[in-house]
Amino acid sequence: MKIDSEQLIRELSIELDALYDGDGTAGFSPSDVEGPRSAFIVAHLDGYPVGCGAIRPLDEDSVEVKRMYTRSDFRRKGVA
């Protein structure tokens, strides 16, 4: 699963880099989702990783949604 998440993050970063002419990370680090109340989820369809998303706590009452991504072939199919 770690390999799936790393590949999906790379793909998203490449897309963001092309769209916004930056490094594509949008300030995200894997350590952002290693603490309490954080999560990184990989969506699978028929065993194949097709998307991902993360939540990162900002404070006691709120979280930030990060790294929301669906591979282009699986967009508009209800994965996200």
Side-chain angles (χ1 to χ4, degrees):
M1 174 131 146
K2 182 178 179 190
I3 293 170
D4 294 344
S5 61
E6 290 171 347
Q7 180 61 36
L8 290 164
I9 289 171
R10 272 193 297 278
E11 291 174 20
L12 173 57
S13 294
I14 290 167
E15 276 197 30
L16 292 176
D17 180 46
L19 288 171
Y20 302 110
D21 194 30
D23 70 0
T25 65
F28 178 80
S29 169
S31 64
D32 291 343
V33 292
E34 292 176 353
R37 298 180 48 240
S38 64
F40 190 90
I41 308 297
V42 174
H44 289 86
L45 199 59
D46 297 325
Y48 181 72
V50 298
C52 62
I55 57 170
R56 173 176 71 175
L58 295 175
D59 57 36
E60 288 298 317
D61 299 315
S62 59
V63 298
E64 178 180 24
V65 176
K66 300 290 286 182
R67 305 283 85 182
M68 292 295 292
Y69 174 68
T70 303
R71 286 182 161 150
S72 60
D73 292 347
F74 298 92
R75 293 178 185 161
R76 305 207 184 281
K77 296 183 183 198
V79 173

